[in-house]
Amino acid sequence: MKKLLLLFLTLIMSVSMAFAAGSQDDAAGQSEGTVLEIAVFEGGYGRAYWDAVATAFEEKNPGVTVNVTANPEIGDIIRPNILAGNPPDFIYMSTSNNSGVAQALIKDRALVDITDVIDGLRERILPGFLDNSLCQPYGDGKVYLAPMYYSAMGLWYNKNFFESNGLTAPVTWDDFFALGEKAKQLDRSLYTYQGIYPSYNESLIYPAIAAATGLEGFTDCANYEAGAWTDPAIRRVLDNIARIGIDEYLMEGTVALDHTQAQSEWLLGNALLHPNGAWVEGEMADAPREDGFEFGFCAPPVLDANEDKYVFSTFEEIYIPAAARNVELAKKFLAFQYSYEAIELNAKLAKGVPPVVGAAEFLKGTVSPATYESYQIFTKGYQPLLGQPFGVVAETSLVPRDEFFNQLGDIMTGKRSVDQWIAHTEEVSEQVKDHLVK
């Protein structure tokens, strides 16, 4: 951990020195009274960080004032100005925001190419967080949105129980089922999930498929390519999913439980592993649990320990409208978000950080143990998996993701076979492929 922190500080120093030099040069050319308008989605991370980082940026750039507009409905607030050709200079708002403003900016190609900024930060940003369709929406190798707050979903376990009983979190599917045998010896089940909400298993299944087929095979599924789900590697993954139930590694009664019931059983020690996001800690804060319970987090198992490994992830974005008045200053402000000073402020005030090497260490002691555990997975060679193997479709009543997961209960109980599961998924893909939103 000390080596990781040293690497992080070294990277920070080099970028900070360059940033400071640039600040001095640029400040000389900035006129008195320059105002940088930033628009911020005020959600779970609050606005305190943005006020603080605005002040810090002003101190480093004499003559600049950063005006922060933050609101839970920021998309609706800034839309009129965007339509009038007077957008803010900088925006923090997820592309999944319900206002649709971010998606409209992408569709209209109304964002600034920030590749030049990102090239100076690339070595510091965790692998996988730049080379994706969220940051590069046009597939042209250019970056238009930068990653901000990120999170991971995966498998959770009681770290104290594992350590006390000499258990190790699984890496491969062989490890996974070997752990299942040890669980039986300890009079526990290996796995439970939110039975009537089977899509929680996306954090188990999606990364396992991506690791098995590579991102190309994963994308083929998302594009509803004919035969994508008949890939032998996907078949091996789905066979393993079915084996959880067939070979009695699944906690009895799981398929009939709702999310809080399944999570309660897991907290009480009736199953070793359970899929979820870090929010489970807050969601189950008042639920009983076995003595000494301590949150532990691991990634889904892979077929081969040497293949690329993934964790189902999400992140929120920051970006600059093409019609912004102060594009170059906005670029400096965007780069500043990845500085040591900003990351420290972010960890303290928002309890979140951008995906920067070593940045998660600044969260230790400021966020919940569950959240900290999930951040650590990216220091262990895992890459983020962004998206799902079911592309967005329109003008059809079929929901491919639901069609896939709604079969899981019958797969686990042996009422349906993996062959039937694959055949049904292929059939649905064929029916919706012409409705894929591109």
Side-chain angles (χ1 to χ4, degrees):
M1 191 63 70
K2 290 181 179 178
K3 290 181 178 180
L4 179 62
L5 189 55
L6 179 61
L7 172 62
F8 175 64
L9 293 176
T10 301
L11 289 166
I12 287 290
M13 288 177 65
S14 63
V15 172
S16 296
M17 290 174 66
F19 179 84
S23 294
Q24 293 172 2
D25 293 341
D26 293 341
Q30 286 167 356
S31 61
E32 198 71 27
T34 302
V35 177
L36 186 72
E37 297 285 348
I38 72 170
V40 169
F41 172 70
E42 188 176 358
Y45 294 104
R47 71 168 288 163
Y49 163 71
W50 294 101
D51 290 330
V53 79
T55 298
F57 187 76
E58 290 171 346
E59 291 173 353
K60 292 184 177 297
N61 295 272
V64 171
T65 298
V66 180
N67 185 24
V68 180
T69 301
N71 193 284
E73 306 299 328
I74 193 64
D76 294 328
I77 290 171
I78 65 176
R79 181 186 285 108
N81 284 344
I82 291 175
L83 293 174
N86 184 32
D89 297 304
F90 171 99
I91 300 174
Y92 154 58
M93 180 174 61
S94 171
T95 53
S96 63
N97 185 271
N98 289 334
S99 69
V101 168
Q103 287 297 329
L105 288 170
I106 293 171
K107 182 179 179 180
D108 294 341
R109 292 184 173 265
L111 295 175
V112 170
D113 176 0
I114 56 172
T115 307
D116 56 339
V117 179
I118 296 302
D119 282 346
L121 304 168
R122 195 172 289 274
E123 290 186 1
R124 299 181 52 226
I125 296 178
L126 291 167
F129 280 96
L130 290 173
D131 299 323
N132 56 73
S133 61
L134 295 179
C135 293
Q136 302 179 27
Y138 310 119
D140 56 1
K142 296 179 180 180
V143 178
Y144 292 85
L145 304 95
M148 194 58 175
Y149 301 116
Y150 68 110
S151 61
M153 292 177 63
L155 302 181
W156 295 86
Y157 62 94
N158 180 349
K159 183 189 289 188
N160 184 46
F161 182 83
F162 269 52
E163 292 175 351
S164 300
N165 290 275
L167 304 178
T168 303
V171 174
T172 67
W173 282 104
D174 287 342
D175 297 336
F176 182 85
F177 291 116
L179 179 63
E181 292 303 313
K182 293 178 181 178
K184 291 177 181 179
Q185 295 171 12
L186 294 167
D187 199 27
R188 299 189 177 209
S189 296
L190 171 63
Y191 191 72
T192 190
Y193 68 90
Q194 301 81 342
I196 63 173
Y197 303 111
S199 61
Y200 272 83
N201 285 285
E202 64 188 0
S203 57
L204 170 66
I205 297 176
Y206 292 174
I209 289 175
T213 67
L215 292 181
E216 183 177 353
F218 189 83
T219 302
D220 285 345
C221 292
N223 290 333
Y224 304 111
E225 297 288 345
W229 286 92
T230 64
D231 185 316
I234 292 181
R235 172 59 189 256
R236 290 179 64 191
V237 170
L238 299 186
D239 278 340
N240 283 331
I241 298 299
R243 184 181 170 189
I244 295 172
I246 293 170
D247 288 357
E248 299 182 346
Y249 294 110
L250 185 68
M251 188 184 76
E252 186 175 356
T254 287
V255 297
L257 300 179
D258 65 21
H259 64 297
T260 55
Q261 290 170 330
Q263 289 160 191
S264 293
E265 293 294 325
W266 167 69
L267 286 170
L268 291 170
N270 292 321
L272 294 184
L273 299 171
H274 141 87
N276 219 318
W279 63 78
V280 65
E281 184 174 21
E283 187 173 63
M284 304 300 290
D286 298 326
R289 61 204 64 201
E290 61 182 331
D291 292 341
F293 188 95
E294 183 179 352
F295 285 93
F297 180 85
C298 67
V302 294
L303 296 173
D304 184 342
N306 295 318
E307 61 195 12
D308 289 339
K309 296 184 282 292
Y310 299 93
V311 178
F312 190 46
S313 310
T314 61
F315 66 76
E316 299 175 356
E317 304 93 341
I318 52 179
Y319 40 95
I320 302 167
R325 293 182 178 181
N326 299 293
V327 169
E328 292 307 312
L329 188 59
K331 285 183 176 181
K332 283 185 61 179
F333 184 73
L334 187 147
F336 189 59
Q337 305 312 306
Y338 300 89
S339 69
Y340 169 84
E341 183 176 356
I343 288 171
E344 190 171 37
L345 285 172
N346 222 335
K348 178 181 178 181
L349 298 174
K351 302 188 187 308
V353 290
V356 169
V357 175
E361 283 307 297
F362 290 90
L363 291 172
K364 193 171 186 178
T366 67
V367 299
S368 70
T371 299
Y372 178 72
E373 278 292 317
S374 65
Y375 276 115
Q376 290 301 101
I377 198 68
F378 296 107
T379 70
K380 301 174 182 178
Y382 288 86
Q383 298 182 50
L385 178 66
L386 304 158
Q388 54 179 297
F390 303 104
V392 177
V393 295
E395 299 179 355
T396 174
S397 61
L398 286 172
V399 181
R401 178 174 176 268
D402 291 350
E403 292 290 330
F404 178 82
F405 282 109
N406 287 345
Q407 298 176 83
L408 188 58
D410 285 346
I411 295 296
M412 289 290 193
T413 56
K415 295 178 181 178
R416 289 177 68 85
S417 69
V418 171
D419 284 335
Q420 291 174 309
W421 196 8
I422 291 173
H424 182 71
T425 306
E426 277 289 310
E427 180 182 342
V428 170
S429 295
E430 175 64 25
Q431 293 180 53
V432 303
K433 67 180 182 180
D434 292 334
H435 298 277
L436 177 64
V437 177
K438 298 182 180 180

